[in-house]
Amino acid sequence: MTNVLDGVRDHYRATGLVERLRTALAALGPEDQLLTPRQLAALDQFHTRGLAATAELARLAGISADTSVLDVGSGVGGPARFLAATHGCRVTGLDLSEAFVDAARYLTGRTGQSAQVSFQTGSALELPFDDGRFDIVLLQHVAMNIFDRTQLYREIRRVLKSGGRFATFDVVSLGGEPHYPVPWARTPATSFLLTAAATREAIEPAGFRALAWQDDTEAAKA
Ligand SMILES: C[S@@+](CC[C@H](N)C(=O)[O-])C[C@H]1O[C@@H](n2cnc3c(N)ncnc32)[C@H](O)[C@@H]1O
């Protein structure tokens, strides 16, 4: 399924992203002036309900200063920076898109968090980490691009410590086909929505027991 991954990578290709961010951020002050993660929130939270959703997911996951967090599909790193700034934890972000990883590193330099928050390129289906490495894994608005959910959740379980927690916030199907293009895919070739029930059925056999499960449809619409 390399062609699917190439298609997803292509969807999130972003030419000159760092330069574009540099230009946009000039309005907030000179390059050597540190920014706060909150100042970036309008452009670096790449999911429905933005910062509010990340904050709520972190609360449900029970993130604290002594937890090591992996953010799978970390985008340009907004959630990772916010979690580190708010909870004092160390965060590793992993993303398929090299352009997003470059942008995430650039923005993290601008907030002065590079010692606490790091990013690397890689696939969620083959996480480049040892077994049992993280306390918490986060996955926000990524699963809809993943063709093999069994492998995705199995990999997440593998890199979690025993007793670790997985926190996910994703788009689910309410039935019917989306009208393409949608924000995560131009065509059905790179879109793999499941219903909420099917998502849960894919997660639990990987070795998870649900501690909380909620439908945010109304809040997302609002
Ligand atoms: C809508 S963005 C969400 C980014 C981030 N989670 C956030 O909420 O700000 C989806 C991200 O998932 C990444 N992604 C999609 N498929 C992936 C895969 N198989 N492995 C790693 N990252 C993937 C994309 O490159 C993109 O950055």
Side-chain angles (χ1 to χ4, degrees), residues 9-32:
R9 206 178 275 116
D10 195 46
H11 182 70
Y12 292 106
R13 200 177 297 281
T15 309
L17 185 54
V18 169
E19 275 319 304
R20 285 190 276 147
L21 286 167
R22 202 189 300 277
T23 305
L25 294 178
L28 295 181
E31 186 80 19
D32 59 359

Side-chain angles (χ1 to χ4, degrees), residues 5 8 12 44-47 71-75 79 94-97 100 122-125 140-142 144-146:
L5 278 185
V8 174
Y12 292 106
D44 70 3
Q45 301 283 325
F46 207 1
H47 53 263
D71 186 14
V72 175
S74 46
L94 174 115
D95 202 280
L96 198 57
S97 163
F100 282 8
S123 168
L125 293 169
Q140 283 197 95
H141 281 49
V142 179
M144 70 273 182
N145 279 131
I146 307 272

Side-chain angles (χ1 to χ4, degrees), residues 21-195:
L21 286 167
R22 202 189 300 277
T23 305
L25 294 178
L28 295 181
E31 186 80 19
D32 59 359
Q33 180 182 305
L34 286 185
L35 300 171
T36 65
R38 270 187 195 276
Q39 282 181 289
L40 301 178
L43 56 80
D44 70 3
Q45 301 283 325
F46 207 1
H47 53 263
T48 313
R49 292 181 57 227
L51 206 53
T54 302
E56 195 173 327
L57 197 62
R59 185 181 55 76
L60 284 168
I63 293 179
S64 58
D66 59 353
T67 46
S68 58
V69 179
L70 170 66
D71 186 14
V72 175
S74 46
V76 296
R81 282 184 294 275
F82 173 78
L83 296 179
T86 309
H87 300 281
C89 53
R90 291 185 71 83
V91 188
T92 304
L94 174 115
D95 202 280
L96 198 57
S97 163
E98 213 171 311
F100 282 8
V101 168
D102 287 346
R105 287 178 180 147
Y106 168 69
L107 292 173
T108 304
R110 295 290 308 262
T111 58
Q113 292 175 289
S114 300
Q116 199 182 358
V117 184
S118 62
F119 297 93
Q120 64 190 79
T121 311
S123 168
L125 293 169
E126 214 174 329
L127 294 173
F129 305 108
D130 291 340
D131 296 3
R133 157 105 185 257
F134 298 98
D135 297 299
I136 292 176
V137 175
L138 229 71
L139 183 79
Q140 283 197 95
H141 281 49
V142 179
M144 70 273 182
N145 279 131
I146 307 272
F147 59 88
D148 188 344
R149 296 291 187 96
T150 303
Q151 176 70 6
L152 170 68
Y153 300 126
R154 209 183 269 156
E155 273 295 89
I156 289 171
R157 177 69 191 85
R158 182 184 65 74
V159 300
L160 272 171
K161 292 178 184 164
S162 162
R165 293 183 295 283
F166 168 43
T168 185
F169 169 45
D170 240 297
V171 182
V172 296
S173 165
L174 296 178
E177 267 295 294
H179 296 288
Y180 293 95
V182 286
W184 64 91
R186 283 178 208 102
T187 72
T190 50
S191 176
F192 306 94
L193 286 185
L194 297 180
T195 62

